[in-house]
Amino acid sequence: MTSVRDVYDFLDRFAPFASQMEFDNSGLQCGDFGACVQQCLVCLDVTPQVIEQAARAHCELIVAHHPVLFRARKQLLSSDPAWLLARHGIACIASHTPLDCCAGGVNDLLAEALGLDAPTLLTPLIRLCTLPAPMPAKAFAELVSRKLGAPVRYRDAGAPIRNIAICAGEGCHFLEEAYACADAFLTGDAGHHDFLDAAQHGLALLAAGHYETEIAIVPALARRLRAAFPSVEWHIADEYGGIQYA
């Protein structure tokens, strides 16, 4: 029998929950460590639609990248995902920044999706990649757009780029880490002033979408979990409706 604790411990071995950033809330979000798991759904975000998909598939557990409980709250209404999880009796484990930081995690998968070889660790959360030859920021933005199948917002800092810092999701809090060693910073979300600040420091900034820069972790994590727990039926959430099997 596979339990919620077994899945938690497996995740903890390659993406330790103790490695999470101070602002994070990874770990068991709700449920019982001792509960049996025969059906499990893997997703990026725990939305009401995803919970409904999990309930239809009779899942006892959801493994998510983003925490369902992230900021402090003073009420849980009937439409709240945490309330819906409890209503359906579904446990939830989230691995957010631990999966960002670990080897083979979100940022390594993003580098791989872009064809960037041998990323090195700039900080626990940021990977540094080197292009085979310098290219204009516009050309690199077009490459990222093709690889991820999504539009890319960018600001050129006026020089060719070769060394690229990567931080999927919302990474602009870490721009300063890249100023001394990178020509460009690639992340998911960026605000107007992030583009201005980066350009003032000679750094091209590209924003390729929070979802688009992180979604590769879902099928990769499902494959890893299925190999570890073959007796469990593993599902991948189609976060726009429907369920696919891993």
Side-chain angles (χ1 to χ4, degrees), residues 8 13 47-48 56 63 106 115 122 133 149 174 181 183 200 212 240:
Y8 178 95
R13 284 194 288 275
T47 64
R56 287 199 304 269
V63 175
V106 175
L122 179 57
F174 307 102
C181 58
D183 309 308
Q200 288 172 7
E212 289 79 7
Y240 299 109

Side-chain angles (χ1 to χ4, degrees), residues 5 26 47 64 71 92 95 97 148 158 162 168 174 179 189 193 195:
R5 168 65 74 180
S26 291
T47 64
R71 296 179 178 87
C92 179
S95 182
T97 54
L148 299 185
R162 187 167 191 189
F174 307 102
Y179 289 153
D189 299 329
H193 291 285
F195 284 105

Side-chain angles (χ1 to χ4, degrees), residues 184-199:
F185 190 93
L186 170 63
T187 188
D189 299 329
H192 176 73
H193 291 285
D194 296 319
F195 284 105
L196 296 179
D197 291 345

Side-chain angles (χ1 to χ4, degrees), residues 54-93:
R56 287 199 304 269
H58 306 290
C59 293
E60 301 89 1
L61 174 65
I62 291 175
V63 175
H65 180 45
H66 293 136
V68 68
L69 296 170
F70 192 58
R71 296 179 178 87
R73 57 185 71 183
K74 295 185 177 181
Q75 60 180 186
L76 289 177
L77 303 180
S78 61
S79 60
D80 190 284
W83 190 92
L84 292 171
L85 287 168
R87 177 187 174 194
H88 287 290
I90 301 173
C92 179
I93 299 171

Side-chain angles (χ1 to χ4, degrees), residues 115-132:
L116 301 174
D117 296 329
T120 59
L121 200 65
L122 179 57
T123 73
L125 204 60
I126 302 173
R127 300 301 191 263
L128 186 65
C129 303
T130 303
L131 294 170

